[in-house]
Amino acid sequence: MSYKCSRCKRDVTLDEYGGVRCPYCGHRVLLKERGGGIKEVDVH
């Protein structure tokens, strides 16, 4: 799963041990990347 660091804006992948820290700048706030698809909602 792809995440983006909120400080340095680089792409980050989490390791299998659950480390939640940017390996480039050490910041702990990572933003989950959204999918590119468009969702349709049935309002009926």
Side-chain angles (χ1 to χ4, degrees):
M1 183 153 304
S2 180
Y3 293 87
K4 188 169 284 211
C5 176
S6 66
R7 180 182 286 167
C8 69
K9 308 295 188 226
R10 295 177 83 172
D11 290 329
V12 176
T13 55
L14 300 183
D15 62 13
E16 66 266 11
Y17 303 109
V20 182
R21 188 176 289 264
C22 177
Y24 306 106
C25 70
H27 197 59
R28 291 178 29 162
V29 178
L30 302 178
L31 306 172
K32 187 175 180 180
E33 292 288 305
R34 291 183 176 227
I38 297 173
K39 295 182 180 179
E40 293 185 22
V41 178
D42 185 21
V43 293
H44 297 286

